[in-house]
Amino acid sequence: MNKHVCISLALLVALAGCGKKEAETQPAKTEAPPKGKYVLAAEPAGGKGVLEVRKEGKNGDEVVIVGRVGGSVAPLTKDRAFFTIVDASLKPCNEKPGDNCETPWDYCCDPKETLRAATATIKFVDANGRTLEHDAADWLGVQPLQTVVVHGKLLRDAKNDLTVQASELFIRPAASKEKP
């Protein structure tokens, strides 16, 4: 065989092998479950505010909790189906006369102790309890200051912070955001 033909064949084999190896090392992308599985068309009955759930709910209870997305400058976690909500009795900064806060969903105008007691963490998890790897804003359509109604299992940690392992979510239309 001609020396040039051998070199060309060797290059083709090497390139084909590289492409195959690269494809094999790429992580498999998992398809997102349909958001319709989690996002409800109608509001679940029996919703209670964060403060009421904190007062009455016990660890492991099935709850329907209502609140506004917020509680920090970044209440939604990038690449995770995880966010925080605040009891509707607290008003975000943009609803307080004279407050020109650029991030009103952080409730920086409220005392930290008041805010902490009125906040719950919402996370959508897999069968093993790991938070789903989907951006809550993109995947669920959740945005800061929206009022949401979440159905799930209540968990309390050692500091008495609330987490709801969510199974369903309803986003209230903007006009009804004041309803408890």
Side-chain angles (χ1 to χ4, degrees), residues 11 25 36 65 95 102 116 124 163 178 180:
L11 271 172
T25 60
I65 191 168
E95 293 181 7
E102 291 182 23
R116 186 167 181 261
F124 287 81
T163 297
E178 296 305 316

Side-chain angles (χ1 to χ4, degrees), residues 79-94:
D79 298 327
R80 296 284 184 266
F82 176 98
F83 56 94
T84 55
I85 62 172
V86 177
D87 191 86
S89 65
L90 271 66
K91 300 295 177 209
C93 303
N94 65 327

